[in-house]
Amino acid sequence: MDLLTNYILHQADNALILGHRNSEWTGHGPILEQDIAISNIALDLIGQARNFYQFAAYRLNELSPSEKITEDDLAYLRDEHEFKNFVLVEQPNGDWANTILRQFYFSSYQLLLFRELSNSPYPELAAICEKSIKEIRYHVKWSSEWVIRLGDGTEESHGRMLNAMQNLNPWIAELFQPVDFDYEADETEAGILPEILKDEWYQRVNRILETATLPTISSEKKSMQLLSGKKGVHSEYLEPLLAEMQVLQRTYPGSQW
């Protein structure tokens, strides 16, 4: 598998895994309106994942025409170490505050990244990102409003946001750490090195955290990043997620509705 295809799979895996996590809230949201909102965001992310998987499958089939890889193969028949998503997006939902902050961190990053990738010389990649930006703007707006509402809310909601920051902040560093497929994407101008997004991401995120009366986070703080989802080294939470998500396809290969 070439590095550029891995770059595409990285985008797909992030969207699929976070989409699956958000779908776990369906029927369990704090109020009906927000139950629907988080379910719709899950659908947006899974739709993005499908587009990326289809593009990746097309590239793989061009490289090896005899294999006939499909988007379902890439989503349902790869093992844990083959997934390239951020450790951040596979973290469990926890409470509403944890889910909101995870979405806010990721969507703020994804918006900046897709803004750059919409200018990629690879038209398929550019088109997927350009189409997704409108959705992601809503994800950022929705999650930002909830960060402020909870952070500047009651003593309990503020405390829950602080706990969410403690849970999720250790995984921020990976957003900006390049791996081999990032370097390849940058060299071919298909993509960028994620570190160029770092300063703007921290500025945007800290602006919301300040409004929410929450502590800001420093880009200079050193993180002990022992895992790297982009390299296939994940937390203990991804394997059970995949087991649940993939069980039907693995039990009944090739099943169709």
Side-chain angles (χ1 to χ4, degrees):
M1 189 179 297
D2 69 313
L3 291 176
L4 183 54
T5 303
N6 282 332
Y7 187 73
I8 297 164
L9 286 174
H10 168 58
Q11 314 306 330
D13 292 345
N14 280 329
L16 179 68
I17 297 304
L18 185 54
H20 182 86
R21 276 290 185 229
N22 286 343
S23 74
E24 294 172 348
W25 275 103
T26 301
H28 302 281
I31 56 177
L32 181 59
E33 181 181 5
Q34 302 310 322
D35 191 304
I36 295 170
I38 194 71
S39 298
N40 282 334
I41 290 173
L43 287 173
D44 289 342
L45 289 165
I46 292 170
Q48 293 170 21
R50 285 199 65 194
N51 289 331
F52 282 120
Y53 283 134
Q54 288 168 0
F55 182 30
Y58 172 78
R59 287 182 56 84
L60 289 170
N61 289 330
E62 275 199 324
L63 293 170
S64 182
S66 61
E67 290 191 28
K68 299 300 180 185
I69 299 294
T70 70
E71 61 179 290
D72 290 336
D73 295 329
L74 297 173
Y76 294 122
L77 299 179
R78 287 188 298 145
D79 295 327
E80 176 189 2
H81 70 276
E82 296 175 287
F83 273 75
K84 306 180 189 308
N85 58 278
F86 291 129
V87 175
L88 173 69
V89 301
E90 68 197 38
Q91 296 306 295
N93 287 334
D95 60 14
W96 189 244
N98 200 81
T99 295
I100 290 298
L101 189 64
R102 184 186 60 199
Q103 188 68 50
F104 173 59
Y105 283 168
F106 176 73
S107 293
S108 297
Y109 172 85
Q110 194 186 37
L111 180 62
L112 298 179
L113 176 64
F114 280 25
R115 184 184 65 186
E116 299 295 326
L117 296 187
S118 63
N119 297 315
S120 171
Y122 286 76
E124 299 92 343
L125 182 59
I128 295 170
C129 294
E130 187 174 0
K131 179 182 177 183
S132 302
I133 283 177
K134 183 177 180 180
E135 296 171 346
I136 301 168
R137 286 198 184 103
Y138 168 72
H139 302 170
V140 173
K141 180 178 183 294
W142 179 82
S143 59
S144 298
E145 290 172 351
W146 267 105
V147 168
I148 295 169
R149 182 176 179 180
L150 295 174
D152 196 29
T154 65
E155 183 178 346
E156 180 179 355
S157 69
H158 183 85
R160 285 176 180 261
M161 286 302 298
L162 291 176
N163 288 337
M165 293 182 73
Q166 185 174 7
N167 292 337
L168 298 175
N169 284 7
W171 310 117
I172 290 173
E174 188 188 7
L175 301 179
F176 309 105
Q177 291 174 347
V179 296
D180 54 358
F181 56 72
D182 289 307
Y183 289 112
E184 174 73 11
D186 182 61
E187 288 174 6
T188 61
E189 299 185 345
I192 61 167
L193 292 178
E195 58 200 36
I196 73 169
L197 307 174
K198 186 175 181 180
D199 289 344
E200 186 173 0
W201 185 90
Y202 275 96
Q203 289 169 7
R204 285 172 174 252
V205 166
N206 280 331
R207 192 180 308 128
I208 297 299
L209 293 178
E210 286 179 355
T211 305
T213 67
L214 293 166
T216 58
I217 48 183
S218 172
S219 62
E220 302 302 321
K221 186 177 180 180
K222 300 298 181 184
S223 174
M224 295 295 290
Q225 191 80 33
L226 300 178
L227 305 178
S228 175
K230 295 168 77 173
K231 296 180 179 180
V233 184
H234 294 277
S235 69
E236 68 270 28
Y237 301 114
L238 183 61
E239 185 176 9
L241 182 154
L242 292 178
E244 177 182 326
M245 187 180 73
Q246 298 177 338
V247 63
L248 182 62
Q249 183 62 244
R250 287 183 179 268
T251 305
Y252 304 99
S255 295
Q256 296 181 354
W257 288 103

